[in-house]
Each structure stands twice: as C-alpha cells, then as structure tokens.
Amino acid sequence: MTVTSVLTALAVSVAVTFALRALPFAAFRRRPMPPVLCRLGRLLPPAIMAVLVVYCLKDVPADPSGSGAAGLMAAALVAVSYRLKHSTFFSITLGTLVYMLLIRLL
C-alpha cells in the first residue's frame, strides 16, 4: 500500500467515525431526547462493562494460578473501579495496567 492510500483510508475512517458520533447531537438538537434513548444511555455502559469482564474471563482456567489469578484480580478491580467511578476509560485503563503488572510479578 502506498502512503496516499493509507492516508485516504485513514481520512475516510475519521470522517465516518466523526459523522456517526455527531449524528445524534444533530438529530436531537431542537427536540427532546426520546425516553427509550435516555434509558439506553443509562443501561448500556454497565452492560458493556459486564460483557467486557465476562469476555476477559472466558480463558481463565478453573485453577486460578499464574495468569488466571492475574486476570481474576484485574477483572475484580475493573468491576469495583467502574462501580465507584462510573468511568469506562478509567476502569479499563486501570485494569489493563494492573493486569500487565501482575503477569510480570506472579
């Protein structure tokens, strides 16, 4: 691939991502948000976090020694930090850092 094709693909990806994120704000600028969307806005972040935690734990062996223990501890930290802070970015970042540290130490 040439540099031009990579930059073109990147520009298209940026434009589409921005448009998709800006669309709800443009659509509901002058009218109130429907109740179903407000409800989804409250329910989806915890549901997404639960799916991520379950996905991360799918490969943990039944005997939580070694990396299994690190995964369990990091997942518990993610769940607790999300419950306390309600910040997906913070929780995932903290869990990733702790997991990487634990697999080096355990």
Side-chain angles (χ1 to χ4, degrees):
M1 291 180 82
T2 66
V3 173
T4 305
S5 62
V6 170
L7 291 177
T8 302
L10 183 63
V12 169
S13 298
V14 167
V16 168
T17 300
F18 179 77
L20 288 173
R21 303 221 189 256
L23 182 63
F25 295 102
F28 296 108
R29 179 178 27 190
R30 295 195 178 125
R31 57 185 172 162
M33 185 78 70
V36 69
L37 289 181
C38 290
R39 186 167 186 258
L40 280 175
R42 282 192 325 271
L43 295 177
L44 279 180
I48 291 169
M49 287 301 294
V51 167
L52 286 173
V53 168
V54 168
Y55 179 76
C56 289
L57 295 177
K58 72 178 177 53
D59 292 329
V60 173
D63 176 28
S65 60
S67 66
L72 287 172
M73 287 189 273
L77 180 65
V78 167
V80 169
S81 66
Y82 183 76
R83 182 78 175 162
L84 295 175
K85 291 281 196 180
H86 296 286
S87 171
T88 306
F89 179 74
F90 174 76
S91 298
I92 291 173
T93 303
L94 181 65
T96 302
L97 292 174
V98 168
Y99 177 74
M100 297 307 283
L101 181 68
L102 287 175
I103 61 171
R104 302 288 188 267
L105 296 176
L106 295 179

